[in-house]
Amino acid sequence: MVGVDFGTLSGRAVVVRVSDGAEVGSAVHEYTHGVIEEHLPDSSVRLGPDWALQSPQDWLDVLRFAVPAAISAAGVSPSQVVGVGTDFTACTVLPTTADGTPLCFETPSLPHAWPKLWKHHAAQAHADRINALAASRGESWLPRYGGKISSEWEFAKGLQVLEEDPSIYERAQRWIEAADWIVWQLTGVETRNVCTAGYKGIYQDGGYPSAEFLSALNPDFADFVHKLTVTEPSTPGAPVLAPLGGLAGRLTARAAEWTGLPEGIAVAVGNVDAHVTAAAADAVRPGQMVAIMGTSTCHVMPSDRLAEVPGMCGVVRDGIVPGLWGYEAGQSGVGDIFAWFVDNAVPSSYAQEAQARGLSIHEHLTGLAAAQAVGEHGLLALDWHNGNRSILVDHHLSGVIVGQTLATRPEDVYRALIEATAFGARLIVETFESSGVPVEEFVVAGGLLKNRFLMQVYADVLRRPLSVIGSEQGPALGSAVHAAVAAGAYEDIEQASAAMGKRTVAAYVPDDKAADAYDLLYAEYRRLHDLFADGGILHTLRRLRNAATGPGRPSIQGSEAGA
């Protein structure tokens, strides 16, 4: 099997043995355009604050370069591959024509023609309007998302396109998750997967928000759902969602030429990178929370019970494993926060010291931070540098660090930022459990597993053992697991996950003394969290920043004034 993971900065392919999940070859392709945040490619067209776009060409290049390279690295014949599965960051969504052509291929000078990456937060004001209207009308779907829809999701981003570039909205015959678009390119068959529809597209109990609701937001938004759906021919207007682990279609001749794989092999239904990782970690049973920790952290967990958890990203039937409720929460900045600090606030002398010792700057700072006792730095931070996904669902919040003095050193701040992300994770876990959804096991996946000190901090702060995934390519492995089901090698995801997934149980256990000390710091984190949660000061600072960034930016009295 081949699993392909489309991430924020790169795409990776892994070749996996069906019998036991052994990874026999892999390759990575770095996106040429990366994250498009300041101006459009090969253009002087500037983007506004909080924009984040991607290029579909980068995704196609992953198929053209990473997949053949992974097959070559594995030393297997392409004819041995019987299926392909894919996953994507989400909500990463794009406007296309009816045949799937991205509008940015036709009009590359128009910002709204490009795919909006998950961390595009410029639609926060539109999300605020959706939330306010849904709350006032008592929409039944709102509690399934913790009481707030995120600016990262399909409806807020779609409303932004309508109101800022109506011509693009009118031309967009499809508004489609990249997870479904890439499967369309591989199979020639347009599908919509149950995962992204539920978590990112407000699909609940057999339907999307009503045309009446959408029209109340903007009369021209009433038809938005038609851009999202694949309908059943025998039941016009009825959305058709493809189940996870299902067969989306067969590899086309064109896609076979791109990838070097045999035409006609099975292609699995699309999925989200975080959710598919649960299968790679053999964590598809109720109460197993998987935290996929990288640039951001996504927390996903199957459960046999339905509850309303404040600030969760969503609860979706069949959203992780068919037959169970799937919960999602998250932190929109984790590794990105550490990278920001290193890139912008660490003296060059630290880099020189790290180089002399043969270490990266992150490794050097981690070593200095690990030598401290809990609380020694005298600092406390809020992990909101990229907004707050859970539990406040407000991407106009920003980072806060308190306790700094003239004696504060870079390693002090670095450790405080690590601790802040751990405190944020603990708040998410506590919120689930206080809402009647128990977390039986905390499983970690993602790139930050490499930092053993960070993992121990999390174990101490959470006061519970951490299990860890047995793969460095969790999403790609999870996609291969789903491909094995789609190809008929296993009956269902649970069976495939048991055979191909892998994790080490209780790889990190809490130190009681450190955990006691962190309890005291966490209590202060909760006080600081609640003090800034209403966004009063932080929202004002953001409005002032946006007003000062130049012509055409939102004014202080503009659309964000109530954000």
Side-chain angles (χ1 to χ4, degrees), residues 46 49 540-556:
R46 291 185 58 197
T540 297
L541 292 174
R542 183 174 292 259
R543 289 195 296 270
L544 289 169
R545 181 206 69 176
N546 290 351
T549 53
R553 303 298 194 268
S555 69
I556 297 175

mmCIF file of all heavy atoms in Angstrom, residues 46 49 540-556:
data_model
loop_
_atom_site.group_PDB
_atom_site.id
_atom_site.type_symbol
_atom_site.label_atom_id
_atom_site.label_comp_id
_atom_site.label_asym_id
_atom_site.label_seq_id
_atom_site.Cartn_x
_atom_site.Cartn_y
_atom_site.Cartn_z
ATOM 1 N N ARG A 46 -0.655 41.848 -2.885
ATOM 2 C CA ARG A 46 -0.430 41.578 -1.464
ATOM 3 C C ARG A 46 -1.675 40.978 -0.820
ATOM 4 O O ARG A 46 -2.802 41.256 -1.220
ATOM 5 C CB ARG A 46 -0.046 42.863 -0.730
ATOM 6 C CG ARG A 46 1.325 43.417 -1.079
ATOM 7 C CD ARG A 46 1.645 44.625 -0.211
ATOM 8 N NE ARG A 46 1.610 44.290 1.207
ATOM 9 C CZ ARG A 46 1.534 45.197 2.178
ATOM 10 N NH1 ARG A 46 1.450 46.484 1.871
ATOM 11 N NH2 ARG A 46 1.530 44.811 3.443
ATOM 12 N N PRO A 49 -3.862 40.727 6.479
ATOM 13 C CA PRO A 49 -3.494 40.029 7.709
ATOM 14 C C PRO A 49 -4.247 38.711 7.852
ATOM 15 O O PRO A 49 -5.408 38.603 7.456
ATOM 16 C CB PRO A 49 -3.918 41.016 8.812
ATOM 17 C CG PRO A 49 -3.986 42.344 8.140
ATOM 18 C CD PRO A 49 -4.411 42.067 6.736
ATOM 19 N N THR A 540 -8.447 44.391 20.642
ATOM 20 C CA THR A 540 -8.139 45.794 20.358
ATOM 21 C C THR A 540 -6.753 45.925 19.740
ATOM 22 O O THR A 540 -6.555 46.658 18.758
ATOM 23 C CB THR A 540 -8.224 46.626 21.639
ATOM 24 O OG1 THR A 540 -9.567 46.593 22.138
ATOM 25 C CG2 THR A 540 -7.830 48.084 21.372
ATOM 26 N N LEU A 541 -5.792 45.205 20.271
ATOM 27 C CA LEU A 541 -4.440 45.255 19.722
ATOM 28 C C LEU A 541 -4.416 44.764 18.280
ATOM 29 O O LEU A 541 -3.722 45.323 17.425
ATOM 30 C CB LEU A 541 -3.498 44.416 20.582
ATOM 31 C CG LEU A 541 -3.226 44.945 21.996
ATOM 32 C CD1 LEU A 541 -2.399 43.940 22.781
ATOM 33 C CD2 LEU A 541 -2.539 46.298 21.958
ATOM 34 N N ARG A 542 -5.187 43.731 17.988
ATOM 35 C CA ARG A 542 -5.231 43.210 16.619
ATOM 36 C C ARG A 542 -5.869 44.218 15.669
ATOM 37 O O ARG A 542 -5.404 44.408 14.538
ATOM 38 C CB ARG A 542 -5.985 41.883 16.576
ATOM 39 C CG ARG A 542 -6.015 41.228 15.194
ATOM 40 C CD ARG A 542 -6.638 39.854 15.273
ATOM 41 N NE ARG A 542 -5.790 38.940 16.008
ATOM 42 C CZ ARG A 542 -4.994 38.020 15.437
ATOM 43 N NH1 ARG A 542 -4.958 37.921 14.118
ATOM 44 N NH2 ARG A 542 -4.269 37.216 16.162
ATOM 45 N N ARG A 543 -6.931 44.884 16.113
ATOM 46 C CA ARG A 543 -7.573 45.883 15.252
ATOM 47 C C ARG A 543 -6.625 47.044 14.978
ATOM 48 O O ARG A 543 -6.553 47.560 13.853
ATOM 49 C CB ARG A 543 -8.866 46.373 15.898
ATOM 50 C CG ARG A 543 -9.987 45.345 15.902
ATOM 51 C CD ARG A 543 -11.336 45.980 16.217
ATOM 52 N NE ARG A 543 -11.386 46.545 17.548
ATOM 53 C CZ ARG A 543 -11.775 45.893 18.639
ATOM 54 N NH1 ARG A 543 -12.098 44.607 18.549
ATOM 55 N NH2 ARG A 543 -11.820 46.494 19.806
ATOM 56 N N LEU A 544 -5.884 47.462 15.985
ATOM 57 C CA LEU A 544 -4.915 48.534 15.788
ATOM 58 C C LEU A 544 -3.819 48.103 14.816
ATOM 59 O O LEU A 544 -3.407 48.878 13.949
ATOM 60 C CB LEU A 544 -4.303 48.921 17.138
ATOM 61 C CG LEU A 544 -5.233 49.654 18.108
ATOM 62 C CD1 LEU A 544 -4.590 49.742 19.490
ATOM 63 C CD2 LEU A 544 -5.567 51.047 17.590
ATOM 64 N N ARG A 545 -3.369 46.865 14.939
ATOM 65 C CA ARG A 545 -2.362 46.355 14.007
ATOM 66 C C ARG A 545 -2.883 46.356 12.591
ATOM 67 O O ARG A 545 -2.206 46.811 11.654
ATOM 68 C CB ARG A 545 -1.962 44.930 14.413
ATOM 69 C CG ARG A 545 -0.891 44.315 13.509
ATOM 70 C CD ARG A 545 -0.964 42.801 13.497
ATOM 71 N NE ARG A 545 -2.157 42.300 12.817
ATOM 72 C CZ ARG A 545 -2.392 41.012 12.617
ATOM 73 N NH1 ARG A 545 -1.544 40.102 13.044
ATOM 74 N NH2 ARG A 545 -3.498 40.624 11.995
ATOM 75 N N ASN A 546 -4.102 45.836 12.394
ATOM 76 C CA ASN A 546 -4.664 45.751 11.052
ATOM 77 C C ASN A 546 -4.884 47.123 10.442
ATOM 78 O O ASN A 546 -4.680 47.332 9.244
ATOM 79 C CB ASN A 546 -5.976 44.971 11.082
ATOM 80 C CG ASN A 546 -5.768 43.497 11.361
ATOM 81 O OD1 ASN A 546 -4.630 43.018 11.375
ATOM 82 N ND2 ASN A 546 -6.844 42.774 11.594
ATOM 83 N N ALA A 547 -5.302 48.078 11.282
ATOM 84 C CA ALA A 547 -5.536 49.432 10.776
ATOM 85 C C ALA A 547 -4.240 50.104 10.362
ATOM 86 O O ALA A 547 -4.243 50.993 9.506
ATOM 87 C CB ALA A 547 -6.237 50.263 11.843
ATOM 88 N N ALA A 548 -3.132 49.681 10.940
ATOM 89 C CA ALA A 548 -1.849 50.328 10.680
ATOM 90 C C ALA A 548 -1.062 49.693 9.548
ATOM 91 O O ALA A 548 0.016 50.168 9.205
ATOM 92 C CB ALA A 548 -1.004 50.316 11.951
ATOM 93 N N THR A 549 -1.595 48.631 8.948
ATOM 94 C CA THR A 549 -0.800 47.892 7.964
ATOM 95 C C THR A 549 -0.900 48.445 6.555
ATOM 96 O O THR A 549 -0.285 47.893 5.651
ATOM 97 C CB THR A 549 -1.194 46.400 7.950
ATOM 98 O OG1 THR A 549 -2.603 46.286 7.767
ATOM 99 C CG2 THR A 549 -0.781 45.723 9.233
ATOM 100 N N GLY A 550 -1.703 49.492 6.353
ATOM 101 C CA GLY A 550 -1.710 50.125 5.044
ATOM 102 C C GLY A 550 -3.078 50.209 4.419
ATOM 103 O O GLY A 550 -4.070 49.726 4.973
ATOM 104 N N PRO A 551 -3.164 50.820 3.238
ATOM 105 C CA PRO A 551 -4.443 51.000 2.541
ATOM 106 C C PRO A 551 -5.116 49.676 2.253
ATOM 107 O O PRO A 551 -4.471 48.670 1.968
ATOM 108 C CB PRO A 551 -4.029 51.705 1.228
ATOM 109 C CG PRO A 551 -2.697 52.304 1.506
ATOM 110 C CD PRO A 551 -2.035 51.399 2.503
ATOM 111 N N GLY A 552 -6.438 49.685 2.355
ATOM 112 C CA GLY A 552 -7.220 48.507 2.043
ATOM 113 C C GLY A 552 -7.335 47.514 3.167
ATOM 114 O O GLY A 552 -7.989 46.485 3.050
ATOM 115 N N ARG A 553 -6.691 47.811 4.316
ATOM 116 C CA ARG A 553 -6.796 46.917 5.455
ATOM 117 C C ARG A 553 -8.013 47.289 6.290
ATOM 118 O O ARG A 553 -8.487 48.423 6.235
ATOM 119 C CB ARG A 553 -5.540 47.002 6.332
ATOM 120 C CG ARG A 553 -4.252 46.696 5.590
ATOM 121 C CD ARG A 553 -4.278 45.265 5.049
ATOM 122 N NE ARG A 553 -2.969 44.842 4.625
ATOM 123 C CZ ARG A 553 -2.490 44.956 3.407
ATOM 124 N NH1 ARG A 553 -3.235 45.487 2.477
ATOM 125 N NH2 ARG A 553 -1.288 44.542 3.114
ATOM 126 N N PRO A 554 -8.544 46.365 7.115
ATOM 127 C CA PRO A 554 -9.704 46.682 7.947
ATOM 128 C C PRO A 554 -9.404 47.836 8.894
ATOM 129 O O PRO A 554 -8.333 47.897 9.478
ATOM 130 C CB PRO A 554 -9.946 45.376 8.726
ATOM 131 C CG PRO A 554 -9.299 44.319 7.908
ATOM 132 C CD PRO A 554 -8.122 44.970 7.258
ATOM 133 N N SER A 555 -10.342 48.740 9.056
ATOM 134 C CA SER A 555 -10.175 49.859 9.975
ATOM 135 C C SER A 555 -10.547 49.440 11.383
ATOM 136 O O SER A 555 -11.145 48.399 11.615
ATOM 137 C CB SER A 555 -11.065 51.025 9.551
ATOM 138 O OG SER A 555 -12.416 50.699 9.751
ATOM 139 N N ILE A 556 -10.188 50.292 12.345
ATOM 140 C CA ILE A 556 -10.501 50.008 13.743
ATOM 141 C C ILE A 556 -11.999 49.903 13.947
ATOM 142 O O ILE A 556 -12.483 49.137 14.758
ATOM 143 C CB ILE A 556 -9.909 51.104 14.655
ATOM 144 C CG1 ILE A 556 -8.386 51.098 14.529
ATOM 145 C CG2 ILE A 556 -10.295 50.875 16.105
ATOM 146 C CD1 ILE A 556 -7.708 52.208 15.286
#
